[in-house]
């Protein structure tokens, strides 16, 4: 509870400071680090919360996540784009068509590069073909 209150206060204060500066709100690694996001939309289609598709940003822009399979990557963030030379992913058989397709989409977004934006509590990863929208969902 206390952690959530501190996080909310920090995010609110940051938003107030940035909105009054007249500068663009460029996303920084610190905006993502130690935050967990749950996938809510993939290319315009709702993704049920019970599918537990998620992404979490750790130290040094290491990401871990899950669609059907679990994945890890160390991305770079430059000019509001994330990119990694590769994605490590488990290779389990997936009985869910939507999640199976999402494994390929997240791999492509990360390896080919994706524009990343953070608006309030929503994170968006997109390229010319795909768009994934996540909702901030901290563990505590």
């Amino acid at each position: 509870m206390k952690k959530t209150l501190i996080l909310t206060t920090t995010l609110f204060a940051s938003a107030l400071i940035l909105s009054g500066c007249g500068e663009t709100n460029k996303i920084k690694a610190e905006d993502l680090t130690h935050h967990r996001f749950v996938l809510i939309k993939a290319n315009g289609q709702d993704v049920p919360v019970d599918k537990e598709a998620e992404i979490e940003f750790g130290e040094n822009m290491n990401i871990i996540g899950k669609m059907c399979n679990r994945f890890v990557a160390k991305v770079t963030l430059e000019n509001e784009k994330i990119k990694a030379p590769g994605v490590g992913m488990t290779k389990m058989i997936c009985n869910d068509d939507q999640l199976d397709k999402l494994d390929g989409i997240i791999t492509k977004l990360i390896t080919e590069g994706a524009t990343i934006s953070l608006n309030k509590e929503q994170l968006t990863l997109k390229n010319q073909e795909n768009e994934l929208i996540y909702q901030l969902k901290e563990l505590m």
Side-chain angles (χ1 to χ4, degrees):
M1 177 75 178
K2 185 177 180 183
K3 184 178 177 183
T4 303
L5 180 59
I6 291 170
L7 175 64
T8 304
T9 304
T10 303
L11 288 173
F12 182 71
S14 297
L16 283 175
I17 291 167
L18 290 174
S19 66
C21 293
E23 297 178 7
T24 58
N25 295 336
K26 288 196 173 187
I27 193 166
K28 300 178 291 296
E30 299 83 42
D31 299 328
L32 303 169
T33 304
H34 302 298
H35 293 295
R36 175 180 170 257
F37 298 88
V38 176
L39 186 64
I40 58 171
K41 278 196 184 294
N43 295 327
Q45 292 185 340
D46 290 338
V47 177
V49 177
D50 65 340
K51 292 197 178 187
E52 299 178 357
E54 64 184 25
I55 192 167
E56 185 174 338
F57 292 82
E59 294 287 331
N60 302 313
M61 291 303 292
N62 288 304
I63 59 172
I64 60 170
K66 178 181 175 263
M67 294 298 189
C68 182
N69 286 283
R70 297 198 176 277
F71 62 90
V72 297
K74 179 170 176 44
V75 298
T76 57
L77 174 63
E78 189 173 321
N79 296 324
E80 300 190 336
K81 285 192 142 202
I82 62 166
K83 189 172 184 178
V87 175
M89 186 176 283
T90 59
K91 301 289 183 189
M92 299 184 334
I93 295 174
C94 188
N95 294 325
D96 185 307
D97 289 339
Q98 185 181 29
L99 289 177
D100 191 39
K101 288 177 186 173
L102 288 170
D103 277 345
I105 289 172
I106 193 68
T107 299
K108 190 172 186 173
L109 284 169
I110 292 171
T111 58
E112 294 180 7
T115 301
I116 186 168
S117 61
L118 185 60
N119 184 1
K120 296 186 183 180
E121 294 187 349
Q122 283 196 341
L123 175 82
T124 302
L125 298 177
K126 68 179 181 178
N127 63 12
Q128 292 179 341
E129 301 165 2
N130 297 293
E131 179 180 60
L132 302 179
I133 300 173
Y134 293 84
Q135 182 68 41
L136 180 67
K137 182 81 174 182
E138 303 295 0
L139 291 173
M140 298 297 280

